[in-house]
């Protein structure tokens, strides 16, 4: 499967698909462990079409799809500079979102998307790639650790009325 997978920048014509995928993968990941009203309060704002479009048009953010055949198997959102959700990290790139769809999890999609992020970080000349992950998302934390990320802090993330703790993890980028 991996050999046939392509990582492609999301085009403007893909925005409705990106919005739907972003909402669906978020719901699939977090609905079962959170109150429905908190989840819907978050998704109605975060995945509003105008908000997704504004994020897409931010010159400091980049979006990629993992495509295989006619399927979209996952997506990635990268932030640099002022687009990052934390501003006190010097010379860094944030992986704000990295998702494989349920049907494709465990089949190399996350690894390919992560490789794309690390290549983009190398090209951008940053020293660190970092991300925030919900402290209860043990599967993702284990995946990031496997990819060489280490915890370095915590920050809060608001899901509706629920103030949650995200573990911040980072990986050093060796620049030549
Ligand atoms: C976390 C996620 C991105 C990982 O992607 P994936 O496509 O399932 O993982 P891959 O198949 O690419 O795995 C790549 C490698 O990581 C390892 N790995 C994957 N999940 C792992 C886990 N939970 N624990 C330890 N290692 C893991 C694999 O064994 C594989 O190792 P290898 O390269 O040595 O063979 C994906 O499962 C996902 O989208 N989950 C739901 C959404 C989510 O939680 N996103 C993160 C929000 S912060």
């Amino acid at each position: 499967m991996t050999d046939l997978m392509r990582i492609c920048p999301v085009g403007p014509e893909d925005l409705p698909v990106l919005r739907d995928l972003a909402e669906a993968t978020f719901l699939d990941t977090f609905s079962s462990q959170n109150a429905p009203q908190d989840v819907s309060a978050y998704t109605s704002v975060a995945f509003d079409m105008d908000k997704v479009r504004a994020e897409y048009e931010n010159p400091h953010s980049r979006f990629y799809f993992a495509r295989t055949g006619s399927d979209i198997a996952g997506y990635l959102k990268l932030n640099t500079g002022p687009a990052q959700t934390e501003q006190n990290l010097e010379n860094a790139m944030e992986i704000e979102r990295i998702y494989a769809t349920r049907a494709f999890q465990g089949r190399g999609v996350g690894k390919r998307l992560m490789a794309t992020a690390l290549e983009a970080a190398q090209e951008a000349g940053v020293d660190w790639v970092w991300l925030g992950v919900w402290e209860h998302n043990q599967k993702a934390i284990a995946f990031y650790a496997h990819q060489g990320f280490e915890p370095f802090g915590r920050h809060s993330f608001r899901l509706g009325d629920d103030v949650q703790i995200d573990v911040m993890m980072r990986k050093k980028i060796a620049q030549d």
Side-chain angles (χ1 to χ4, degrees):
M1 204 284 292
T2 316
D3 292 344
L4 302 173
M5 191 166 45
R6 295 118 46 216
I7 307 294
C8 315
V10 172
E13 69 285 3
D14 298 321
L15 277 178
V17 174
L18 173 67
R19 195 219 72 81
D20 290 354
L21 180 72
E23 183 173 61
T25 50
F26 188 92
L27 290 171
D28 196 42
T29 306
F30 299 111
S31 289
S32 64
Q33 289 175 276
N34 289 283
Q37 62 272 23
D38 289 331
V39 173
S40 63
Y42 177 82
T43 56
S44 63
V45 174
F47 305 120
D48 172 76
M49 191 67 235
D50 288 341
K51 181 159 194 298
V52 172
R53 184 178 297 105
E55 290 183 10
Y56 179 79
E57 289 172 354
N58 185 329
H60 300 284
S61 294
R62 292 193 222 171
F63 292 82
Y64 300 86
F65 282 145
R67 292 182 182 273
T68 177
S70 58
D71 291 322
I72 297 179
Y75 84 103
L76 172 71
K77 180 184 182 197
L78 302 177
N79 297 327
T80 51
Q84 294 174 94
T85 62
E86 288 283 344
Q87 287 303 313
N88 55 352
L89 300 160
E90 281 191 22
N91 209 18
M93 173 180 281
E94 177 185 15
I95 298 175
E96 187 182 352
R97 302 195 191 271
I98 180 167
Y99 286 81
T101 63
R102 185 168 290 272
F104 284 96
Q105 285 172 19
R107 297 171 64 183
V109 174
K111 190 174 175 175
R112 284 288 301 275
L113 290 171
M114 181 61 78
T116 301
L118 298 177
E119 276 165 33
Q122 182 97 45
E123 278 169 25
V126 299
D127 293 324
W128 296 96
V129 173
W130 74 277
L131 53 87
V133 52
W134 189 30
E135 61 178 338
H136 299 305
N137 191 351
Q138 290 301 329
K139 183 179 165 187
I141 289 172
F143 167 76
Y144 298 135
H146 189 78
Q147 298 293 319
F149 283 70
E150 294 181 339
F152 72 101
R154 294 158 85 77
H155 70 183
S156 60
F157 173 85
R158 194 174 186 103
L159 189 83
D161 289 334
D162 188 16
V163 179
Q164 306 187 337
I165 300 295
D166 274 4
V167 179
M168 296 162 73
M169 301 181 77
R170 69 181 175 184
K171 179 175 173 123
K172 183 102 171 98
I173 302 299
Q175 296 293 347
D176 306 326

